[in-house]
Amino acid sequence: MVRRRADGRLSRRAAVPAEPSPPARRQVGADPDAPLWRAAQVFRLVTVVYAVSSQFSTVAHYTSPRLSWFFVALLAVWSGVSAVLLAQGVGQRAVVVGIDQVVAVALMGATRLVAGHDWYSAHQTLPTTLWVANAVLSAAILGGPAAGVASALAMATVSAVVRDQVNLDLWRDATAPVLVAVGVAMGFATTTARRAHRQLEQAVRVAAATEERDRLAREVHDGVLQVLALVRRRGTALGGEAAELARLAGEQEAALRMLVSEQGTQLDRGEELVDLRALLRAQAGAGVTVSAPADPVLLDRVRAAELAAIAATALTNTTLHAGAGAKAYVLVEDLGDEVILSIRDDGVGIADGRLAQARAEGRMGVSKSIVGRAQWLGGAAVLDSSPGQGTEWEIRVPRRGARGA
């Protein structure tokens, strides 16, 4: 931090680095499917209770009661093991889900070992349709709607084969519709949960970036901006060679203040839409003033980049040809279906015939970089300039369309 001592000289006191503010990023679970897996395992345990109670009511009709109890015990053990593995582990879930499909198919096939044809052809298979739905749920959570439907159709087909119902319309039986509905519903629930998780992570990243930017802005304001302002004032007062340093310090001070003030500008999140204001404000400086609406001016990435390039070309021309001390003003207007970009300077203007001469000499900065870009975007560029009256470009482009079409 710079301070003025009692004798008028400058002294620098080492700034104590501010303790970083706590990060805005909250702990977001690495596994977006974890709540669905836990809920599915609760359902699994409920279906075990149903399967055991169903066994008590149907065991009297089996030809091999003891063997049926063995299969029910196997069902209960596997249900407990798979519930723990699926609820807690991420890496082995694909293996567990695969085993789940095999166990469900095997238990349905075992129905023929414990019951006669008259029984199993008219009733549900041994593990019950409700318990078989666990395999469909697991497949849907792991692989989405397609995997859920595939598992449901496989289970319904196995059930029909075991019960000798292949020649009938599968949809007359409640097994196929119920399982397919379960697979579709859970599959779409999984897709929605993953999308919501990605959006939450993105929001957390943006919040963290915004907080860090605010912290850096405070540090810049307390340190660097104060030094630049002091150099600008002192250099201007001293004159001579110090005046050039004052001018450079003033330009950097203005650029930093513009950067700090951009708190309302929408961040570029790598999406298709980009806030044009951010691209234009990056070109502001001591001799360039940028004015933009309070609300984001969202354009597709290519269109926004081309408009920013047009502004950069016009500002470069101002620096090279408008004369010493010329100021430039950039204005962007959002009219809904059209965006207007105006770049104006108070320089010496363009002499009559100067653009035609530049084209004849092979310099295509205006005709290609400005007019050509505007036309490629489906818009138009209008130049208004006369000697001693400055130069103004008005670029009007539609929000969509053209781009070389």
Side-chain angles (χ1 to χ4, degrees):
M1 181 177 296
V2 176
R3 293 182 178 274
R4 186 176 299 277
R5 299 192 325 198
D7 58 4
R9 298 174 62 186
L10 301 180
S11 66
R12 175 179 295 276
R13 188 179 68 181
V16 178
E19 183 178 350
S21 56
R25 180 188 296 273
R26 294 176 300 170
Q27 189 68 27
V28 179
D31 182 13
D33 301 335
L36 293 175
W37 284 115
R38 288 193 292 267
Q41 303 328 304
V42 172
F43 175 79
R44 181 185 296 268
L45 297 180
V46 171
T47 61
V48 171
V49 174
Y50 173 76
V52 172
S53 63
S54 177
Q55 169 71 5
F56 278 106
S57 62
T58 58
V59 66
H61 302 283
Y62 291 156
T63 57
S64 301
R66 291 184 178 180
L67 185 59
S68 69
W69 278 113
F70 169 78
F71 289 131
V72 170
L74 179 64
L75 175 152
V77 171
W78 170 247
S79 296
V81 172
S82 61
V84 173
L85 294 177
L86 291 176
Q88 296 183 355
V90 177
Q92 75 273 17
R93 278 178 181 157
V95 176
V96 177
V97 170
I99 297 175
D100 210 19
Q101 311 299 307
V102 175
V103 171
V105 170
L107 288 176
M108 283 191 289
T111 305
R112 289 197 173 193
L113 299 178
V114 300
H117 181 274
D118 292 341
W119 171 260
Y120 62 67
S121 62
H123 297 81
Q124 61 181 337
T125 54
L126 173 64
T128 75
T129 301
L130 191 62
W131 188 88
V132 170
N134 289 295
V136 178
L137 284 175
S138 298
I141 298 175
L142 183 68
V149 171
S151 176
L153 293 176
M155 297 302 161
T157 300
V158 171
S159 176
V161 170
V162 170
R163 299 168 57 215
D164 281 340
Q165 302 293 325
V166 177
N167 295 327
L168 297 178
D169 184 359
L170 290 177
W171 294 97
R172 292 180 182 177
D173 183 20
T175 302
V178 169
L179 294 179
V180 170
V182 168
V184 171
M186 184 55 73
F188 278 112
T190 302
T191 302
T192 302
R194 289 172 181 169
R195 185 184 302 115
H197 186 267
R198 288 194 298 269
Q199 293 173 346
L200 175 60
E201 285 190 324
Q202 184 182 72
V204 170
R205 285 195 297 269
V206 171
T210 300
E211 183 173 347
E212 179 64 12
R213 185 180 62 184
D214 291 342
R215 185 182 67 82
L216 292 175
R218 291 191 298 269
E219 293 186 0
V220 168
H221 183 272
D222 292 341
V224 180
L225 284 178
Q226 291 183 15
V227 173
L228 290 174
L230 181 61
V231 171
R232 175 176 56 81
R233 290 196 302 269
R234 293 289 292 166
T236 302
L238 292 173
E241 295 181 357
E244 177 65 15
L245 294 177
R247 184 185 66 79
L248 294 175
E251 291 180 356
Q252 296 304 312
E253 179 192 2
L256 279 175
R257 289 191 185 278
M258 178 62 69
L259 181 63
V260 171
S261 67
E262 287 180 0
Q263 301 301 317
T265 301
Q266 177 163 322
L267 297 176
D268 182 357
R269 306 178 189 177
E271 299 174 346
E272 288 300 319
L273 297 181
V274 176
D275 190 351
L276 178 60
R277 302 177 305 164
L279 301 182
L280 296 177
R281 284 174 175 166
Q283 304 182 34
V288 179
T289 300
V290 177
S291 300
D295 296 326
V297 181
L298 298 178
L299 299 174
D300 68 80
R301 183 174 294 276
V302 174
R303 192 173 299 271
E306 290 298 313
L307 284 173
I310 291 174
T313 300
L315 293 174
T316 299
N317 289 338
T318 297
T319 302
L320 297 176
H321 308 298
K327 302 292 186 182
Y329 305 90
V330 179
L331 171 66
V332 60
E333 300 176 84
D334 187 356
L335 304 184
D337 57 352
E338 183 181 48
V339 175
I340 301 177
L341 176 63
S342 302
I343 306 101
R344 176 176 59 87
D345 66 58
D346 56 3
V348 298
I350 301 177
D352 295 337
R354 185 71 186 92
L355 295 181
Q357 180 184 352
R359 283 194 296 270
E361 294 172 352
R363 287 180 286 167
M364 311 299 287
V366 170
S367 61
K368 294 296 185 182
S369 296
I370 298 181
V371 177
R373 276 192 169 103
Q375 292 176 345
W376 186 73
L377 294 174
V382 177
L383 174 63
D384 182 11
S385 180
S386 57
Q389 300 298 317
T391 302
E392 180 174 3
W393 282 101
E394 183 179 87
I395 317 298
R396 306 177 73 101
V397 299
R399 188 174 290 274
R400 301 176 183 82
R403 283 172 55 176

